[in-house]
Amino acid sequence: MKKIIPYALLLLILGCGAAQSDPTTQKGIPSGPAGVKGSVGTVEKTGINAVPSGNTAPGEMFSDQRRVSDIMDFLASDALNGRDSGSPGIEKAAQYIEGVFEENGVMPYFKTYKDTLSNFNEPAYNIIGILEGTDPDLKNEMVLIGAHYDHIGTKRAVMGDTIANGANDNASGTTTVLEIMRYFSGAKTNKRSLVFAFFSAEEKGLLGSKHLAERLKEKEFNLYTMMNFEMVGVPMKDKGYLAYLTGYQMSNMAEVCNKYAQDKVVGFLPTAKEFNLFMRSDNYPFHQEFNVPSQTFSTFDFTNFDHYHKVGDENSEMDFEHMAQLINTFIPIIEGVANGAEQEIKYN
């Protein structure tokens, strides 16, 4: 049903498209594991997917396959009609993300969670929340964790299917950030403040992240680092690490991440450098405005997913176990970054 992406088209990858849709009621929104706090699960420590357990406490919750699938089943459902920016579908996705923030006690960064885009013709919103840090001094330093939640809407029918659901691109990144947020909202182990940003209109040219980066710069936002998640729904093939980092050689972010993961979790993908993916996702506007390490983690390795910007980008193609492992692996990484006595991540 799907063709392998020609290499010419790969130059565009990670600078995606937009689409959204419209569940007509709230019945499609998972109300349990996706949005609210639940019981502690068991996470086994197994090599690259390890989650250090020495510094965890009762009540802190890791992710699991069920939680991931519940969120993905909503965000990548046909009811959202591909989450095109400015569409009824992405509005429902925005409402869903706001609901997860509220259920987990995450405060809006601005007066409301919605950050209205000033550079897009249709009504479109970034959704921004903050978990204040626990340290009286370090809480003034911000770690921004982001993902875009829009996709490209609908396309010409293939076997009767017109909806580009955007499961990998980027319901997977959105789910990852939601689950990281849920964990820290319960754990409250972050000394620095964590800002969670979900961007609209990424597929229109990084418009949501451009708008937010410029707005935060005007407000003298004290950004330490920006960590972005893009297309993490399927594992890489024959790699010795879990995810690659765009702009790998520009900073020591991978080194710092691997230190806190106690494993080689983040690696270098030569093709990502060849196609300059550093400039093709929502990390880039923050690099431009703040000149601090702002980079994207991804597991799309140019060989493991044939449905980029196609109607075949559906949940059936996703690996929810892989996603849960990735989320759980990044929890101690983000905790370490948030709690280090000094700002360790630096551009070279």
Side-chain angles (χ1 to χ4, degrees):
M1 178 177 172
K2 304 300 172 189
K3 299 178 181 178
I4 298 199
I5 306 169
Y7 258 72
L9 294 180
L10 295 179
L11 290 168
L12 300 175
I13 292 197
L14 295 187
C16 317
Q20 296 142 355
S21 148
D22 166 7
T24 56
T25 73
Q26 296 294 314
K27 293 180 180 178
I29 299 178
S31 59
V36 299
K37 301 175 180 179
S39 58
V40 180
T42 300
V43 179
E44 296 181 359
K45 188 168 181 176
T46 54
I48 200 167
N49 300 314
V51 178
S53 57
N55 61 350
T56 59
E60 297 176 1
M61 301 170 303
F62 293 106
S63 190
D64 59 37
Q65 203 169 335
R66 178 179 59 86
R67 291 184 182 277
V68 169
S69 66
D70 281 348
I71 302 172
M72 291 287 289
D73 284 348
F74 176 71
L75 290 177
S77 66
D78 284 354
L80 269 63
N81 204 40
R83 304 190 312 280
D84 198 4
S85 294
S87 73
I90 199 169
E91 175 65 26
K92 292 297 183 182
Q95 292 173 3
Y96 173 75
I97 294 169
E98 289 179 296
V100 178
F101 276 149
E102 290 172 355
E103 291 285 353
N104 288 278
V106 178
M107 300 301 294
Y109 182 78
F110 299 112
K111 290 183 179 179
T112 68
Y113 295 114
K114 285 182 176 175
D115 166 42
T116 304
L117 271 58
S118 59
N119 53 3
F120 189 66
N121 292 333
E122 301 295 329
Y125 315 96
N126 298 321
I127 309 298
I128 319 295
I130 182 170
L131 283 172
E132 187 177 43
T134 61
D135 185 275
D137 295 320
L138 292 179
K139 71 178 183 180
N140 297 313
E141 300 176 8
M142 307 293 175
V143 176
L144 196 153
I145 303 165
H148 76 89
Y149 72 107
D150 64 306
H151 198 229
I152 61 171
T154 58
K155 300 195 69 173
R156 187 167 59 184
V158 176
M159 298 181 65
D161 186 4
T162 62
I163 299 173
N165 300 78
N168 201 22
D169 184 15
N170 189 32
S172 65
T174 301
T175 298
T176 296
V177 175
L178 282 173
E179 281 290 83
I180 290 170
M181 178 277 296
R182 179 185 59 80
Y183 175 89
F184 282 102
S185 71
K188 295 180 173 59
T189 54
N190 54 297
K191 293 181 180 180
R192 290 184 174 86
S193 294
L194 302 179
V195 176
F196 298 94
F198 298 89
F199 306 109
S200 188
E202 188 267 2
E203 304 286 2
K204 308 299 186 184
L206 311 182
L207 296 184
S209 52
K210 285 180 180 178
H211 162 86
L212 182 62
E214 291 171 2
R215 184 178 183 186
L216 292 177
K217 182 67 172 180
E218 289 176 359
K219 292 182 174 292
E220 299 183 347
F221 184 77
N222 187 14
L223 180 62
Y224 164 24
T225 189
M226 192 276 188
M227 307 172 77
N228 190 55
F229 291 87
E230 171 90 49
M231 295 182 73
V232 292
V234 292
M236 293 184 291
K237 298 180 178 179
D238 303 320
K239 304 293 189 298
Y241 50 88
L242 181 61
Y244 65 86
L245 183 70
T246 65
Y248 179 91
Q249 295 169 314
M250 296 174 61
S251 79
N252 66 341
M253 186 180 286
E255 177 185 342
V256 172
C257 289
N258 291 338
K259 179 183 76 170
Y260 286 120
Q262 302 176 24
D263 206 341
K264 187 178 180 182
V265 169
V266 180
F268 171 62
L269 185 72
T271 316
K273 181 181 179 182
E274 178 185 350
F275 293 152
N276 201 10
L277 298 189
F278 174 76
M279 298 176 63
R280 300 181 182 277
S281 194
D282 289 305
N283 61 286
Y284 190 60
F286 293 91
H287 160 75
Q288 290 180 302
E289 292 295 329
F290 291 92
N291 194 32
V292 299
S294 306
Q295 295 169 266
T296 292
F297 301 94
S298 180
T299 65
F300 170 74
D301 70 2
F302 298 87
T303 68
N304 61 349
F305 187 70
D306 296 339
H307 307 288
Y308 171 70
H309 281 190
K310 298 180 181 180
V311 297
D313 186 0
E314 303 213 25
N315 279 335
S316 58
E317 302 296 319
M318 299 298 98
D319 186 330
F320 297 146
E321 182 179 2
H322 152 77
M323 288 181 61
Q325 291 171 339
L326 182 141
I327 292 162
N328 292 334
T329 301
F330 270 89
I331 285 171
I333 291 172
I334 292 170
E335 188 171 63
V337 170
N339 293 343
E342 297 182 358
Q343 294 186 1
E344 300 173 88
I345 303 174
K346 300 179 184 299
Y347 276 141
N348 297 327

